[in-house]
Amino acid sequence: MPVKKVQVRGSIVELDGDEMTRIMWQLVKDKLLFPYLDMNIEYFDLGLENRDKTEDSVTIEAAEAIKKHGIGVKCATVTPNKDRVKEYNLKKEWPSPNATLRAALDGTIFRSPILVKNVSPTVRTWKKSIHIGRHAYGDVYKNKEIRVPGPGKGELIFTPTNESSSIRETIHEFEGPGILQGIHNTDESIRNFARACFTYALDLKVDLWFSDKDTISKTYDSRFAQIFKEEYEKNWKTSFEKASITYFFTLIDDAVARIMRAEGGILWALKNYDGDVMSDMLGSAYGSLAMMTSVLVSPTGRFEYEAAHGTVQKHYYKHLKGEKTSTNPMALIFAWTGALRKRGEFDKTPEVVNFANKLEAAAIETVESGVMTGDLLRVAVPSPNNKMVYTEEFIDAIAAALKRKVNQD
Ligand code: NAP
Ligand code: MG
């Protein structure tokens, strides 16, 4: 008997991508989504050839569509470098689509691990997810640096647009060679970051931690802590209390020490550099990059879901040679379920949320039954049931588990 398809009311903006993830993306849609869902998809092909053909306007249009419809789901894309320009015969080195989307949506990226029982985190106490929110603007990523050649004065100068007197601070009187660095951030970007973090913590119903080093950086890091506090008191306290979650600020070193003995169930908001370092630490401690999802959240509550990993270029080259690969589609599947669940919440269609939950459960059960891709086999708890399968076999196993769940209704 053909299944009655679940109607997804609002639109989902789909951003297709490149290489091995593009291949898996299609399989996921064909085997796990299209047989069960009736969706209004706004499709944008962000594959490198089409970005080149449209002079990258397709990326901007996709961002506009996400602003309009509120929800996007993105496949991994190649950010071209010199080698890629040659390989794909590109007109130029197009900018990173993720950077373009982040700028257009003024968003913050949150990363979360997908937990399965047979891959245990390296840190024993972690039972629930630790989500990371990384501020993706400014600091050392937009710095100016000087290699100081010899004796002289290093200064920090701000020249106001409307007034005559500038503000000056001596950084250091150099007696010999050294180095100097200038960094910045803006109140607006910090506030949007804070808002995105409060929005996302509330969405996940988990405690929010923010940490920096305001005891040492009494103006710069203090400004972050102040803005988070102001935002919390003014706009979030009531809804946090209602949801029985808390906002907690502590020093970065204290936060690191606490995370190492925490149970999880936390969204950890971090400045740009701290977030860069800590997200890689968490990713590896939870098992595999292919088990990390990522979502871009705008301060106005738009969501774009994706996998944290790239296009898995090495596997794609094998695939092109006709070899089978054991590439893990879990994070791509969870990008879709994240988008579907949010769509269902926005549209108040519990059957869509329910389908997303079933698909996630089917994927997790498949791995927990021992059927897994090579990256997981390397880190899974050893068991006679463990069996490495190729990508398509893995998706077929999930499809079978999903079918059983759907038929149970
Ligand atoms: P990558 O695609 O993340 O892959 C790096 C390595 O991690 C792979 O070679 C593989 O290791 C392992 N891996 C990652 N995802 C996996 C999966 N789903 N299943 C199994 N193994 C997985 O990074 P990359 O190869 O450095 O980058 C390739 C392209 O991706 C680049 O052109 C980059 O611009 C782009 N990229 C895009 C995004 C994005 O769109 N969000 C993010 C990062 C990178 P083994 O080879 O050991 O199996
Ligand atoms: Mg990093």
Side-chain angles (χ1 to χ4, degrees), residues 19 24 74-79 84 98 289-290 306-315 326-329 375 378:
E19 302 193 318
M24 293 198 288
K74 180 180 171 289
C75 182
T77 46
V78 167
T79 298
R84 298 298 204 155
N98 286 36
L289 194 56
E306 64 173 329
H309 60 77
T311 60
V312 214
Q313 185 182 6
K314 278 192 214 139
H315 293 214
S326 184
T327 321
N328 188 343
D375 57 312
R378 284 196 292 269

Coordinates of all heavy atoms in Angstrom, one line a residue, residues 19 24 74-79 84 98 289-290 306-315 326-329 375 378, ligand 1:
E19 N 30.4 17.8 -4.9 CA 31.2 16.6 -4.7 C 30.5 15.5 -4.0 O 29.4 15.2 -4.3 CB 32.6 17.0 -4.0 CG 33.3 18.0 -4.9 CD 34.8 18.3 -4.5 OE1 35.1 18.4 -3.3 OE2 35.6 18.4 -5.5
M24 N 25.5 12.3 -1.9 CA 24.7 11.8 -0.8 C 23.4 12.5 -0.6 O 22.4 11.9 -0.2 CB 25.6 11.9 0.5 CG 26.8 11.0 0.5 SD 27.5 10.7 2.2 CE 28.2 12.3 2.5
K74 N 21.2 23.3 3.8 CA 22.3 23.4 2.8 C 23.3 22.2 2.8 O 23.7 21.7 3.8 CB 23.1 24.7 3.2 CG 24.3 25.0 2.3 CD 25.1 26.2 2.6 CE 26.3 26.3 1.8 NZ 27.4 25.4 2.2
C75 N 23.6 21.8 1.6 CA 24.6 20.8 1.4 C 26.0 21.5 1.5 O 26.1 22.7 1.4 CB 24.4 20.3 0.0 SG 25.5 18.9 -0.5
A76 N 27.0 20.7 1.7 CA 28.4 21.3 1.8 C 28.8 21.8 0.4 O 28.4 21.2 -0.6 CB 29.4 20.3 2.3
T77 N 29.6 22.8 0.4 CA 30.0 23.5 -0.9 C 31.5 23.7 -0.9 O 32.1 23.9 0.2 CB 29.3 24.8 -1.1 OG1 29.4 25.5 0.2 CG2 27.9 24.7 -1.5
V78 N 32.1 23.7 -2.1 CA 33.5 24.0 -2.2 C 33.7 25.5 -2.1 O 33.0 26.2 -2.8 CB 34.0 23.5 -3.6 CG1 35.4 24.0 -3.8 CG2 34.0 21.9 -3.6
T79 N 34.6 25.9 -1.2 CA 35.1 27.3 -1.3 C 36.4 27.3 -2.1 O 37.4 26.6 -1.8 CB 35.5 27.7 0.2 OG1 34.3 27.7 1.0 CG2 36.0 29.2 0.1
R84 N 41.2 25.0 -7.1 CA 39.9 24.7 -7.6 C 39.5 25.6 -8.8 O 38.7 25.2 -9.6 CB 38.9 25.1 -6.4 CG 39.0 24.3 -5.2 CD 38.8 22.8 -5.5 NE 38.4 22.1 -4.2 CZ 37.7 21.0 -4.2 NH1 37.4 20.4 -5.4 NH2 37.4 20.5 -3.1
N98 N 29.3 30.1 2.6 CA 28.9 30.1 4.1 C 29.2 31.5 4.6 O 28.4 32.0 5.4 CB 29.7 29.1 4.9 CG 29.1 27.7 4.6 OD1 28.7 27.4 3.5 ND2 29.1 26.9 5.6
L289 N 33.7 14.0 12.7 CA 33.2 15.2 12.1 C 31.9 15.0 11.4 O 31.0 15.9 11.3 CB 34.3 15.7 11.1 CG 34.1 17.2 10.6 CD1 34.1 18.2 11.7 CD2 35.3 17.5 9.6
A290 N 31.7 13.8 10.9 CA 30.5 13.4 10.2 C 29.3 13.3 11.1 O 28.2 13.0 10.7 CB 30.7 12.2 9.4
E306 N 22.9 22.7 8.3 CA 23.8 22.0 7.4 C 24.7 21.0 8.2 O 24.5 21.0 9.4 CB 24.7 23.0 6.6 CG 25.6 23.8 7.6 CD 26.5 24.7 6.8 OE1 27.0 24.4 5.7 OE2 26.9 25.8 7.3
A307 N 25.6 20.3 7.5 CA 26.5 19.5 8.2 C 27.7 20.3 8.5 O 28.0 21.3 7.8 CB 26.9 18.3 7.2
A308 N 28.5 19.9 9.6 CA 29.6 20.7 9.9 C 30.8 20.4 9.0 O 31.7 21.2 8.8 CB 30.0 20.5 11.3
H309 N 30.8 19.2 8.3 CA 31.9 18.9 7.5 C 31.8 19.4 6.1 O 30.8 20.0 5.7 CB 32.1 17.3 7.4 CG 30.9 16.6 6.9 ND1 30.6 16.5 5.5 CD2 29.9 15.9 7.5 CE1 29.5 15.8 5.3 NE2 29.1 15.4 6.5
G310 N 32.9 19.3 5.3 CA 33.0 19.8 3.9 C 32.5 18.8 2.9 O 31.7 17.9 3.3
T311 N 32.9 18.9 1.7 CA 32.4 18.1 0.6 C 33.0 16.7 0.5 O 32.8 16.0 -0.5 CB 32.6 18.8 -0.7 OG1 34.0 19.0 -0.9 CG2 31.9 20.2 -0.7
V312 N 33.9 16.4 1.4 CA 34.6 15.1 1.5 C 35.3 14.7 0.1 O 35.0 13.7 -0.5 CB 33.7 13.9 2.0 CG1 34.6 12.9 2.8 CG2 32.6 14.4 2.8
Q313 N 36.1 15.7 -0.3 CA 36.8 15.7 -1.6 C 37.5 14.3 -1.9 O 37.3 13.8 -3.0 CB 37.8 16.8 -1.6 CG 38.5 17.1 -2.9 CD 39.5 18.2 -2.7 OE1 39.7 18.7 -1.6 NE2 40.1 18.6 -3.8
K314 N 38.2 13.8 -0.9 CA 39.0 12.6 -1.2 C 38.1 11.4 -1.6 O 38.4 10.6 -2.5 CB 39.8 12.2 0.0 CG 41.1 12.9 0.2 CD 42.0 12.3 1.2 CE 42.8 13.4 2.0 NZ 42.8 13.1 3.4
H315 N 37.0 11.3 -0.9 CA 36.0 10.2 -1.2 C 35.4 10.4 -2.6 O 35.2 9.5 -3.3 CB 34.9 10.2 -0.1 CG 35.4 9.8 1.2 ND1 34.6 9.1 2.1 CD2 36.5 10.0 1.9 CE1 35.2 8.9 3.3 NE2 36.4 9.5 3.1
S326 N 32.6 4.6 1.7 CA 31.9 4.5 2.9 C 31.8 5.9 3.6 O 32.5 6.1 4.6 CB 32.5 3.4 3.8 OG 31.7 3.2 4.9
T327 N 31.1 6.8 3.0 CA 31.0 8.1 3.5 C 29.8 8.3 4.3 O 28.7 7.7 4.0 CB 31.0 9.1 2.3 OG1 31.8 8.7 1.2 CG2 31.3 10.5 2.7
N328 N 29.9 9.0 5.4 CA 28.8 9.1 6.4 C 27.8 10.2 6.1 O 28.2 11.4 6.2 CB 29.5 9.2 7.8 CG 28.5 9.1 8.9 OD1 27.3 9.2 8.7 ND2 29.0 8.9 10.1
P329 N 26.6 9.9 5.8 CA 25.6 10.9 5.5 C 24.8 11.4 6.8 O 23.8 12.2 6.6 CB 24.6 10.2 4.6 CG 24.6 8.8 5.1 CD 26.0 8.5 5.7
D375 N 34.2 5.7 9.1 CA 34.6 6.7 10.1 C 34.1 6.3 11.5 O 34.8 6.5 12.4 CB 34.1 8.1 9.7 CG 32.6 8.2 9.5 OD1 32.0 7.3 8.9 OD2 32.0 9.0 10.1
R378 N 35.8 3.0 13.1 CA 37.1 3.3 13.8 C 37.0 3.7 15.2 O 37.9 3.5 16.0 CB 37.9 4.4 13.0 CG 38.5 3.9 11.7 CD 39.5 4.9 11.2 NE 39.0 6.2 10.8 CZ 38.6 6.4 9.5 NH1 38.7 5.5 8.6 NH2 38.1 7.6 9.2
Ligands
NAP1 P1 36.0 17.6 4.7 O1 35.1 17.5 3.5 O2 35.3 18.0 6.0 O3 36.7 16.2 4.9 C1 37.9 16.1 5.6 C2 38.1 14.6 6.0 O4 37.2 14.3 7.1 C3 37.7 13.6 4.9 O5 38.8 13.4 4.0 C4 37.3 12.4 5.7 O6 38.5 11.7 6.2 C5 36.6 13.0 6.9 N1 35.2 13.2 6.7 C6 34.5 14.4 6.6 N2 33.2 14.2 6.4 C7 33.0 12.9 6.4 C8 31.9 12.1 6.1 N3 30.7 12.6 6.0 N4 32.1 10.8 6.1 C9 33.3 10.2 6.3 N5 34.4 10.9 6.5 C10 34.3 12.3 6.5 O7 37.1 18.7 4.5 P2 38.1 18.9 3.2 O8 38.3 17.6 2.5 O9 39.3 19.6 3.8 O10 37.3 19.9 2.3 C11 36.7 19.6 1.1 C12 36.0 20.8 0.6 O11 34.9 21.1 1.5 C13 36.8 22.0 0.4 O12 36.8 22.4 -0.9 C14 36.2 23.0 1.4 O13 36.1 24.3 0.8 C15 34.8 22.5 1.6 N6 34.2 22.8 2.9 C16 32.9 23.2 2.9 C17 32.3 23.4 4.1 C18 30.8 23.8 4.1 O14 30.2 23.9 3.0 N7 30.2 23.9 5.2 C19 32.9 23.2 5.3 C20 34.3 22.8 5.3 C21 34.9 22.6 4.1 P3 39.2 10.5 5.5 O15 39.6 11.0 4.2 O16 40.2 10.1 6.5 O17 38.1 9.4 5.3

